[in-house]
Each structure stands twice: as C-alpha cells, then as structure tokens.
Amino acid sequence: MRPIVELSGVSKGFGRGFSRSEVLRDINLSVQEGDFVSIIGYSGTGKSTLINLIAGLQKPDTGSAMMDGAPITGPGPERGIVFQNYSLLPWLTVTENVRLAVDQIFPSLSEKERAEHASKYIDMVKLTPASAKLPRELSGGMRQRVSVARTLAANPRILLLDEPLSALDALTRATLQDEIAEIWQANRTTVIWITNDPDEALLVADRVIPLLPGREGATLGSEIPVAIERPRDRRELLRSPDFKDLKLQLVDTLLGAKKDSTPLVTKKLAAPDILPEDLGKKRSFSLFDRPAPRRRSQLQREELKIEVS
Ligand SMILES: Nc1ncnc2c1ncn2[C@@H]1O[C@H](COP(=O)(O)OP(=O)(O)OP(=O)(O)O)[C@@H](O)[C@H]1O
C-alpha cells in the first residue's frame, strides 16, 4: 500500500556559514492511511521543523517529502495542523472560529449544511455549551479543543499535532489526550502527534518514533510499536508491567541519545602573563612616575585547551 506521507533522506538546516546549524539529518518516515504515529524528542531537537516539512511550511534541503506519491510543495487543506498556542481569532466566538474554516473549505455547501457541519465538530470536542463564547472567555483546554474542532471540521486526510497539549496542566492534558484518541477511533483520520512526553506518546499512539539529537542533526530512531487495545484505560495502563517496559525502553533510548549527542567543545583561553605588582615599592601619585599601562600587544598569550562536556 502506498504511504500517505513519505519522507526519504530528508535533511534540513538553518543559517549560512558559521551560523549554519543542521537540524534534521537523513530522516526516513513512512506513514500509512489511518496510522496514529507519535514522534517524541527533546525540546529543540527539530520536531516542529519535521512537522513543518510535512505541513509544507518549509522545504527539505535534501531528500524528498511526499504526500500520496507527489512532492509536498506548500500547505494544503488535506493536512490539518494544530499548534501549541491555539491560534484562534480572538474577536470570533467558538462557532465563528470553526465556521471560518468550514466556509473556506466547503463554499459549495448551503448555509444550513455549513452550520450543521461546524456544530458536529464543536459537539465532538464537547464545546456546544460554550459555542457563543469568545476565546478570552475559555480556559486553555477549551481553546485547544476549539483548535482541534476547527482543524477536524476541514476534513483533513492527515492531522498534524505539534505538541498540542503542552501548554496545559497535567489533568486537562490527560482528558484531552483521551478525547483526541476517542475522536481518532471514531474517524480514523491519520495522525502524526509531536510530543516531548513519553506517557502521552505511548498512551495515544500505535507507534512511537523517537527523534534523536545528534551532532550533525537529529535522526529518527527505531520505532516502538504500542500494541495495546483501544479504548485505552490510562489508570490500568499506568499500572501495567507491559506499559512500564515500553516506557523504560523509550526513556532509555532518549536518554542514551542525549548522552551521545552532547557536544565536546574545545575552548581556548588566553592567559596573559602579567607580573604581579611589587607591593613593597613606594607608591607615588605623581603623573610622571606612574608605570606605563601594559598594552595588549605586549602581553604574551598562552593558550589553554580545555574540553567541556
Ligand atoms: N526558521 C528557523 N530559522 C532558524 N533556526 C530555526 C528555524 N526554525 C527552527 N530553527 C532551529 O532549529 C532547531 C529545532 O527547532 P524546532 O522548533 O524544530 O525544535 P522542537 O524540537 O520543535 O523544539 P520545541 O520542543 O522546543 O518546540 C532549534 O535550534 C531552532 O532554533
């Protein structure tokens, strides 16, 4: 079966010359229709860069990023993205925020059909009672629900979630993880969920792929399949020895990669050979009797090399 998204030999860096930094190196990723994949990595490893390449917001430097066998050349409605920071229009209500997407994607539907479509997704994220509220009247969790509803209402073929819950408290996070997993079970829209939380990755996804930091850019590690029946009961799972083993395997992989990637920096320190002042010498406050200040060029420089890990 042809993958819905395929990255082959992708690398990406930013900047030029000395300020150039390689972020992703030789990324190979294949996602099938209906997959629920989680990509996990430390902060700053390049997770957003990876999702941006799939979203078409950035282009790879080398390698190819394909969707349905065609190169990804820019953003498109078939790829819905939910960011960490909600990105709602503050002057529009919940319904209006969702309607905006629906009106844009489905202009040929009647007014009634568009209204029904928007309400279906607002209901799916349990926000019907708050549908007339403005974003500032909602909690963080509710705002993120609107974001999810708006993205889902556009009927994307693939949902790209870039650390969607990381701004939320642990309990709200847990509720939303369960809700999004439930929605996925009902819809089976392909999901790529970016996270930095091992529990979150293992609780929601069918396979978890670590993004491992490296001195010349991050690479994807071996995937960890999560063959746990759905719906998943988090309380049961957190107690289960199988789940604990998976988590240990994932955490070990991430910690091991972090240790290997810590750069060895050689710092050069210039040690000037300044002679100590003779404190026994009589001091004078005369302008003419003062020793000339040492010039930089007169200092003999010695270099010490130290390695910092
Ligand atoms: N447009 C850009 N220009 C220059 N550097 C960038 C750009 N986008 C990302 N970077 C750099 O690439 C590296 C990876 O950033 P990225 O946002 O992809 O990481 P991340 O894993 O998503 O981090 P976090 O979990 O903190 O959001 C960082 O060092 C970042 O500064």
Side-chain angles (χ1 to χ4, degrees):
M1 202 167 59
R2 190 167 70 186
I4 178 168
V5 163
E6 188 159 41
L7 304 182
S8 314
V10 163
S11 66
K12 177 77 185 167
F14 296 101
R16 284 188 189 165
F18 289 123
S19 59
R20 169 101 186 148
S21 65
E22 302 302 333
V23 176
L24 298 174
R25 178 170 59 90
D26 195 22
I27 299 288
N28 295 295
L29 173 70
S30 182
V31 178
Q32 302 290 335
E33 187 104 53
D35 266 359
F36 196 140
V37 181
S38 178
I39 294 173
I40 182 167
Y42 288 98
S43 176
T45 331
K47 302 182 300 296
S48 297
T49 306
L50 180 57
I51 214 88
N52 286 344
L53 291 170
I54 300 171
L57 299 171
Q58 279 165 355
K59 290 199 169 66
D61 293 336
T62 59
S64 64
M66 318 275 273
M67 174 147 185
D68 291 326
I72 296 172
T73 53
E78 71 288 352
R79 279 157 289 144
I81 182 158
V82 176
F83 298 103
Q84 199 180 100
N85 55 3
Y86 327 126
S87 46
L88 302 175
L89 294 176
W91 59 90
L92 297 183
T93 64
V94 169
T95 302
E96 287 164 347
N97 264 289
V98 178
R99 270 297 294 267
L100 198 69
V102 175
D103 291 351
Q104 237 176 5
I105 306 286
F106 305 107
S108 57
L109 293 185
S110 70
E111 168 68 27
K112 186 169 169 276
E113 285 169 325
R114 278 183 274 151
E116 280 170 3
H117 189 79
S119 331
K120 174 178 151 190
Y121 287 92
I122 292 169
D123 197 40
M124 196 180 276
V125 296
K126 305 188 166 72
L127 274 186
T128 305
S131 56
K133 292 199 170 173
L134 292 169
R136 68 178 142 80
E137 298 172 294
L138 306 174
S139 69
M142 290 162 97
R143 286 182 207 166
Q144 200 53 304
R145 284 198 178 99
V146 184
S147 235
V148 170
R150 183 185 55 185
T151 309
L152 284 174
N155 277 0
R157 291 207 36 231
I158 182 161
L159 194 56
L160 307 172
L161 304 171
D162 187 1
E163 300 192 48
L165 311 181
S166 54
L168 308 176
D169 65 89
L171 294 175
T172 313
R173 244 179 122 135
T175 314
L176 270 167
Q177 284 161 4
D178 293 348
E179 283 177 17
I180 297 176
E182 250 173 56
I183 293 171
W184 176 82
Q185 235 190 319
N187 287 260
R188 297 283 167 156
T189 307
T190 313
V191 175
I192 302 181
W193 182 317
I194 299 287
T195 183
N196 53 22
D197 175 351
D199 280 326
E200 181 168 273
L202 293 166
L203 278 160
V204 297
D206 285 336
R207 53 195 183 107
V208 178
I209 309 177
L211 183 64
L212 306 174
R215 289 182 191 160
E216 280 139 38
T219 48
L220 288 177
S222 312
E223 75 173 43
I224 297 178
V226 189
I228 300 172
E229 295 265 302
R230 292 177 191 271
R232 295 175 180 169
D233 180 330
R234 74 174 49 239
R235 275 178 302 176
E236 240 173 61
L237 276 184
L238 294 173
R239 279 195 295 264
S240 122
D242 289 349
F243 186 83
K244 284 182 187 161
D245 282 351
L246 284 177
K247 186 169 164 185
L248 200 62
Q249 190 186 339
L250 184 55
V251 171
D252 275 350
T253 309
L254 291 165
L255 287 177
K258 180 80 171 177
K259 211 167 66 200
D260 293 345
S261 75
T262 314
L264 269 180
V265 183
T266 303
K267 276 196 174 175
K268 289 184 177 178
L269 302 179
D273 76 338
I274 298 175
L275 291 171
E277 204 181 325
D278 183 356
L279 293 177
K281 203 175 156 196
K282 198 178 162 221
R283 289 177 175 242
S284 146
F285 292 98
S286 154
L287 268 180
F288 306 104
D289 206 17
R290 279 193 172 172
R294 284 174 182 272
R295 291 171 199 277
R296 253 185 178 282
S297 56
Q298 289 175 319
L299 298 180
Q300 185 189 322
R301 290 165 77 91
E302 284 177 10
E303 282 190 346
L304 295 179
K305 282 189 175 179
I306 57 164
E307 289 199 331
V308 190
S309 64

